[in-house]
Amino acid sequence: MTEQELQELYAQVVALAQDIPLNERLANPSASVTMVSPLCGSQVTADLIMDGDRVSPFGQKVRACTLGAAAASIVARHVEGKSADELRALRERMRNMLKNEGSPPDGDFAQLAILESARDLISRHGSIMLIFDAIGEA
């Protein structure tokens, strides 16, 4: 990756991190889980209400590093209406992408491929995975 490409990628990640949708807690969630990265102190709380097997609505509170915030931003854009099984599969796909050089998510979550370059930043995997782990626990 060239220096120019790296700068463009970083600018995209920063833009996502600065524009996090649904970054408010729900008043009466069915489930609420807070996850903290012990390495960097990043924190994500995911609130959700299930309508049958589908998330509707969703809220979150994100206080995370740029990579963790970018992941939460992308997830929030597409999480509502997804099933619990779809979200568990997304979590495993992200974990596989970061740890085992698996392919990035596709479909609605294809934008998460932007975080593929963080594979070598092992110390940041925890903060990237916070939103996925919080939703999975919820």
Side-chain angles (χ1 to χ4, degrees), residues 34-95:
T34 298
M35 302 295 270
V36 179
S37 172
L39 190 60
C40 68
S42 289
Q43 179 174 314
V44 171
T45 299
D47 296 332
L48 53 88
I49 295 173
M50 299 300 285
D51 182 6
D53 190 38
R54 305 259 169 207
V55 174
S56 180
F58 174 81
Q60 63 184 347
K61 192 64 183 170
V62 180
R63 291 187 181 99
C65 68
T66 302
L67 293 170
S73 179
I74 295 166
V75 168
R77 295 169 200 278
H78 306 287
V79 68
E80 289 185 345
K82 299 297 187 260
S83 72
D85 287 342
E86 287 173 297
L87 295 171
R88 281 190 285 270
L90 175 64
R91 175 176 56 180
E92 294 314 307
R93 186 117 184 228
M94 281 300 294
R95 191 177 323 281

Side-chain angles (χ1 to χ4, degrees), residues 6-51:
L6 188 58
Q7 287 177 1
E8 290 171 8
L9 180 64
Y10 182 71
Q12 292 172 27
V13 170
V14 168
L16 286 164
Q18 292 175 342
D19 183 26
I20 303 172
L22 308 175
N23 197 18
E24 293 182 11
R25 303 283 311 272
L26 295 180
N28 295 302
S30 300
S32 181
V33 173
T34 298
M35 302 295 270
V36 179
S37 172
L39 190 60
C40 68
S42 289
Q43 179 174 314
V44 171
T45 299
D47 296 332
L48 53 88
I49 295 173
M50 299 300 285
D51 182 6

Side-chain angles (χ1 to χ4, degrees), residues 74 78 82 106-112:
I74 295 166
H78 306 287
K82 299 297 187 260
D106 51 14
D108 287 343
F109 295 103
Q111 193 176 17
L112 287 165

Side-chain angles (χ1 to χ4, degrees), residues 9-10 13-14 16-17 42 62 64-74 94 98 112 114-119 121 123-132:
L9 180 64
Y10 182 71
V13 170
V14 168
L16 286 164
S42 289
V62 180
C65 68
T66 302
L67 293 170
S73 179
I74 295 166
M94 281 300 294
L98 292 171
L112 287 165
I114 198 169
L115 300 172
E116 193 172 12
S117 61
R119 278 186 181 140
L121 304 173
S123 63
R124 293 292 170 228
H125 290 185
S127 63
I128 291 170
M129 291 301 299
L130 285 176
I131 188 61
F132 304 100

